[in-house]
Amino acid sequence: MADADLLWRWANDRETRQNSFTTSPIPYAEHVEWLAKRLGSDATRIWIFSDGDVPVGQVRFDIAGAVAEIGITVAPEQRGRGYGKAMLDQAVPRLRAEQRDRVRPRASVLANNAASLRLFKACGFEEVSTVRRDSGEQVIVLELARVLS
């Protein structure tokens, strides 16, 4: 919970909101309640990554059955420096070691979010399906195609 403010600021960044399934700003009280539930859940893993003392982003896995849905945020001021790939390259093997390969990492990305699609594909994810949301937006579902070491 000590990182609640940092995570809230990243979540409410303009570009992050534009690329999220819900684009409206997140009220702080709702964020704190959401984070407390996630941190108290055995089905959620949240890792904050840093470069030295500078936080650069977070990776979250929400586990449901055999699927671990990924949420990733790179700090706005750190984007374009390769941190997203570095974070996923570390988080996925850590999750797999912890879960003993019982879960498949999966990402659901808005079709117009080119940066996230490039990131996941660069990390070995492949498109497995495309779905339309009630809003009409197209979502690309990607799963890890190979085991990362």
Side-chain angles (χ1 to χ4, degrees), residues 6-13 15-17 20 34 47-49 55-60 70-76 78-79 83-84 87-88 116 119-120:
L6 175 70
L7 294 170
W8 176 72
R9 284 187 281 117
W10 288 348
N12 275 308
D13 168 69
E15 187 176 329
T16 300
R17 297 289 6 115
S20 298
W34 171 89
W47 293 305
I48 296 175
F49 290 82
V56 297
Q58 64 88 25
V59 176
R60 184 185 78 248
I70 302 170
I72 183 169
T73 305
V74 176
Q78 302 298 335
R79 292 182 183 138
Y83 287 120
M87 292 186 317
L88 275 180
S116 285
L119 166 64
F120 283 106

Side-chain angles (χ1 to χ4, degrees), residues 12-128:
N12 275 308
D13 168 69
R14 184 184 59 79
E15 187 176 329
T16 300
R17 297 289 6 115
Q18 286 176 335
N19 290 307
S20 298
F21 292 151
T22 304
T23 58
S24 57
I26 302 166
Y28 188 74
E30 284 180 26
H31 169 73
V32 169
E33 183 179 332
W34 171 89
L35 183 60
K37 287 179 185 174
R38 289 292 192 259
L39 292 174
S41 171
D42 288 338
T44 300
R45 305 295 178 275
I46 300 175
W47 293 305
I48 296 175
F49 290 82
S50 57
D51 188 350
D53 293 336
V54 179
V56 297
Q58 64 88 25
V59 176
R60 184 185 78 248
F61 293 98
D62 291 314
I63 302 166
V67 173
E69 187 72 29
I70 302 170
I72 183 169
T73 305
V74 176
E77 63 278 5
Q78 302 298 335
R79 292 182 183 138
R81 298 180 183 180
Y83 287 120
K85 185 172 185 327
M87 292 186 317
L88 275 180
D89 283 347
Q90 292 177 44
V92 170
R94 184 173 175 179
L95 175 76
R96 285 196 153 155
E98 179 185 297
Q99 296 293 316
R100 296 187 185 91
D101 290 329
R102 289 186 301 256
V103 297
R104 287 185 323 276
R106 177 182 292 164
S108 299
V109 179
L110 292 173
N112 64 354
N113 187 346
S116 285
L117 290 170
R118 276 193 312 274
L119 166 64
F120 283 106
K121 288 177 181 179
C123 290
F125 285 74
E126 294 181 348
E127 292 182 26
V128 295

